[in-house]
DNA sequence: ATAACTTTTGCAACTCAGTTGCACAAATTT
DNA sequence: AAATTTGTGCAACTGAGTTGCAAAAGTTAT
């Protein structure tokens, strides 16, 4: 179907099925992170379980990353091409308290944290909550 | 019953009922943050809804704060006496990937974040995931 | 002290996100 | 083409969180 979609999927070792192309397209069009229930609504008729497993596959293969923003549903957003989801790849997320949209602040890296002795850092989830540029107007 | 429990509750304008004293005692004894389901298990027979509303009351009155650590259940931990849950009161939390315990790193303040133009910061949830001192041994 | 009212508690029922088993379909390998 | 692996769709379920409602406990007014 779409060359670019296929390339993106294959670059992460994900077999490009029709379903996966559709989901990836939604994720690309999406400016903010999207949850499984929201994703479901983007399709006329789609199976929750299939979408769920598609997201899981995408996440395992680091095509997308998940964000726990405290709204009850985990949200997902595209990783950039070179992302390995290592601590140095991580960025801050922003949840708007008004419109409930979650933004990837790709340009804002997660600050270093000096953990107490004996603690080992693997990853960080940092969500800033406030009002987004759109709702502030 | 217990003077200290009553004082703590009253200092936050929470009427000290028997139930609330019991819940507060659990929270005080607790070294790590606790979720509603975990709290339920601490009691022989206790109503989920009552515990739920107790936690809500505690949180609204800033006796405790909530932590979204991405484990599926929101966890709660005592605030320090002077806490107002303002950005400057916030600290980093640590989730151990092994034992699933969530620690308040009270000594580690959340680093300042410079949001893009147009974004307004209200609060921050920062969870570091890794291995805790106990599990690393 | 009693009645009227407010607050808290306990029970049941429900919502909603996430997850799993299983059978069928599609793709891949032999 | 047959055998095997992988993906999809459906249904059913789990588990956290939440709400309505009535009884119980506590408070205030008479």
């Amino acid at each position: 179907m779409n060359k670019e979609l296929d390339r993106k999927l294959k670059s992460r070792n994900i077999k490009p099925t029709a379903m996966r192309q559709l989901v990836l397209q939604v994720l690309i069009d999406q400016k903010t992170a999207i949850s499984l229930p929201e994703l479901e609504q983007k399709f006329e008729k789609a199976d929750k379980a299939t979408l769920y497993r598609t997201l899981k596959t995408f996440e395992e293969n680091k095509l997308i990353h998940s964000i726990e923003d405290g709204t009850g549903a985990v949200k997902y957003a595209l990783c950039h091409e070179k992302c390995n989801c290592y601590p140095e790849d991580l960025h801050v997320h922003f949840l708007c308290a008004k419109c409930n949209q979650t933004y990837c602040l790709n340009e804002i890296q997660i600050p270093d944290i000096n953990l107490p002795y004996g603690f080992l850092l693997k990853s960080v989830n940092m969500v800033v909550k406030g009002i987004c540029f759109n709702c502030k107007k």
Side-chain angles (χ1 to χ4, degrees), chain A:
Chain A
M1 229 191 191
N2 183 319
K3 279 275 157 98
E4 180 58 10
L5 294 178
D6 275 26
R7 194 194 57 71
K8 268 193 157 53
L9 291 168
K10 281 178 188 157
S11 78
R12 295 294 189 171
N13 289 309
I14 302 165
K15 289 187 202 160
T17 68
M19 194 70 238
R20 287 168 182 172
Q21 289 170 348
L22 289 170
V23 172
L24 178 53
Q25 188 62 64
V26 170
L27 289 164
I28 290 173
D29 295 343
Q30 194 71 13
K31 264 159 216 79
T32 52
I34 191 173
S35 68
L36 173 56
E38 284 162 356
L39 182 60
E40 257 184 282
Q41 291 174 358
K42 295 267 177 187
F43 296 94
E44 284 291 314
K45 88 176 195 14
D47 179 45
K48 204 176 33 160
T50 303
L51 294 175
Y52 167 74
R53 284 184 279 229
T54 301
L55 289 175
K56 282 285 169 203
T57 303
F58 283 8
E59 190 185 10
E60 274 161 28
N61 293 281
K62 292 171 182 163
L63 181 59
I64 61 176
H65 59 279
S66 65
I67 308 138
E68 323 270 352
D69 66 4
T71 52
V74 177
K75 289 181 186 165
Y76 299 90
L78 280 181
C79 288
H80 56 261
E81 299 267 334
K82 301 276 170 62
C83 177
N84 280 307
C85 297
Y86 294 144
E88 60 270 25
D89 292 316
L90 302 174
H91 53 265
V92 173
H93 291 98
F94 183 91
L95 166 66
C96 178
K98 221 168 189 175
C99 66
N100 234 44
Q101 295 297 306
T102 298
Y103 300 81
C104 283
L105 303 182
N106 284 302
E107 59 289 355
I108 306 185
Q109 229 197 305
I110 304 246
D112 274 345
I113 295 293
N114 273 311
L115 293 175
Y117 179 75
F119 284 82
L120 176 68
L121 183 147
K122 287 223 175 139
S123 71
V124 183
N125 183 46
M126 184 168 189
V127 178
V128 176
K129 200 169 161 184
I131 307 295
C132 76
F133 68 101
N134 233 329
C135 290
K136 228 180 98 183
K137 289 180 204 161

